Amino acid sequence: MVLNWLRDNCASFEPSRALAIRALRHLKKDDNIKLFSDDIMEMRTVEGYWYEALIYELLLETASNTSAIKKIVRKGADAPRRPVRIALGQNGMYYAEKGDIRVRGNGQDLAEVDLLLLDSNNKVSFTEIVTSPADLKDLEAEIHYKKKLFGYLFKQDTVEFSLFSAVDISNTQVVRRLCREEENAYVGTFSCEELKASIKTLRLASLSKTAVSNPKLISALSLRTRPFDYRQFHDQTLVRLLRSAERGATQSEVLADPGVSPLVKKVIFGALHPAAQKTLIHEYGLRVKSSVLDYSDLMRDYSKAVLAVDLPDLSPVIYLKPKKKRMYYKMVPERSGGFKFERITPGRVGFYLWLESAKPTVETDTMNLILDLCKVR
């Protein structure tokens, strides 16, 4: 069993200078020096990538001595040099620019995993690697989603999961809940400071990025998955949400509906007609940072407003497209009412392409139905 092997062989992992150096090959040019930067934010970001690479290298080294791990999916410097460019209609396994492993649905990144492993029975398991106790609640939700996603893609009733951490989070509520399930494992290692110590005095020049040859390695692109049409799942879920809204269903009834796919993370209803935009401004409100928009502001500065709903929490989102900018503003509900700016959706992600394809199909009545379903007023 992969999880038992990981617990027995990786929990006792001690700092290794050779592995620490080997992990550097996965960092971008000049990031080696940032690993010891006085800029804490910069250092922590690079440290996270390096620790993730270190665990990957650890498994590559130790997996040669076991039959529990049959294959390890390539990543980082071992991934294909030229990833497939993001486009609508893409579904399944892909690589991102840095060699990260992604699952795309209609071009949107549905999930990113730090490691993918295959056991002796060709069952897929996945690994997440953390260096901070922050955002564990979000991590727990992502793990549950990925279990459903990989279970569907690889036709597995259960999907094993392992969590590696450079900080002791074994007693947190999230980790305790996860470890109650026998298909999950937690592996705590030495801290990043201890693991980095052996290379602190080295001259960290750029290392070769050449992919290694290892019989245990396999490309994510070669994994056989079930045919996966995410757009079809999305559109079916959209219809079910509309029907539920029209008949005044409760949120619990919506989420219990078997026609609402657990693989759909967000439903995009479409762009708002001008009349719906006016109602959104007058009856709900939009605030971008410190500026409360009126209808003339919206018409002058923004070319599109797209209505979406996040699942499974049934939380509405408005995406605003600033004129002459390749981005969208993600607007989320605020407690006092209306919607506030949360963050930017950049033009380099697949979800941006989906927002760009959204046509003005949402009338005022439909918008109000959806927002009532989400309990926004």
Side-chain angles (χ1 to χ4, degrees), residues 6-33:
L6 290 176
R7 292 189 192 98
D8 295 341
N9 291 272
C10 296
S12 59
F13 165 58
E14 295 186 1
S16 163
R17 191 183 204 191
L19 277 179
I21 294 173
R22 211 175 304 156
L24 294 173
R25 71 190 181 91
H26 299 280
L27 299 184
K28 295 189 300 183
K29 185 179 180 181
D30 299 329
D31 272 1
N32 298 347
I33 297 170

Side-chain angles (χ1 to χ4, degrees), residues 73-74 93 95 118 154 217-225:
V73 175
R74 292 180 178 272
M93 306 298 301
Y95 280 107
L118 275 72
F154 297 104
L217 283 174
I218 186 174
S219 170
L221 306 180
S222 67
L223 296 175
R224 298 182 63 182
T225 60

Side-chain angles (χ1 to χ4, degrees), residues 6-7 25-26 33 54 91 94 154 160 170 215 226 263 270 282:
L6 290 176
R7 292 189 192 98
R25 71 190 181 91
H26 299 280
I33 297 170
L54 180 68
N91 296 289
Y94 287 85
F154 297 104
E160 293 186 342
S170 57
R226 179 184 296 188
L263 303 184
H282 292 158

Side-chain angles (χ1 to χ4, degrees), residues 89-260:
Q90 291 173 343
N91 296 289
M93 306 298 301
Y94 287 85
Y95 280 107
E97 286 186 8
K98 294 186 298 182
D100 297 331
I101 305 164
R102 305 282 176 88
V103 179
R104 290 180 190 165
N106 193 37
Q108 176 188 353
D109 284 337
L110 301 178
E112 176 187 342
V113 288
D114 295 334
L115 288 174
L116 274 181
L117 310 173
L118 275 72
D119 68 12
S120 55
N121 296 315
N122 289 321
K123 296 292 185 183
V124 169
S125 67
F126 69 100
T127 295
E128 297 296 328
I129 301 169
V130 299
T131 56
S132 167
D135 302 323
L136 287 182
K137 184 177 180 181
D138 291 340
L139 176 66
E140 184 179 23
E142 282 296 308
I143 289 166
H144 290 146
Y145 175 77
K146 290 170 186 176
K147 281 176 171 282
K148 295 172 186 174
L149 181 62
F150 288 124
Y152 176 84
L153 288 177
F154 297 104
K155 300 180 181 180
Q156 294 179 202
D157 292 332
T158 59
V159 177
E160 293 186 342
F161 162 75
S162 53
L163 176 64
F164 280 77
S165 178
V167 291
D168 186 3
I169 53 175
S170 57
N171 286 321
T172 62
Q173 290 184 350
V174 168
V175 172
R176 288 205 301 267
R177 280 196 298 268
L178 289 171
C179 289
R180 291 191 195 111
E181 303 169 14
E182 62 179 19
E183 68 269 19
N184 299 331
Y186 170 76
V187 180
T189 71
F190 283 79
S191 69
C192 285
E193 287 75 16
E194 292 168 308
L195 295 168
K196 289 192 306 183
S198 64
I199 60 173
K200 188 171 185 178
T201 58
L202 293 180
R203 183 176 177 273
L204 299 179
S206 295
L207 301 177
S208 171
K209 307 293 184 184
T210 304
V212 300
S213 177
N214 187 311
K216 293 262 180 173
L217 283 174
I218 186 174
S219 170
L221 306 180
S222 67
L223 296 175
R224 298 182 63 182
T225 60
R226 179 184 296 188
F228 179 49
D229 187 343
Y230 184 76
R231 184 60 189 259
Q232 182 178 352
F233 291 155
H234 169 277
D235 291 351
Q236 290 172 347
T237 299
L238 184 154
V239 170
R240 303 296 292 197
L241 289 183
L242 281 175
R243 289 177 179 172
S244 296
E246 288 168 352
R247 63 181 176 85
T250 64
Q251 291 191 350
S252 58
E253 288 173 336
V254 172
L255 297 177
D257 183 352
V260 175

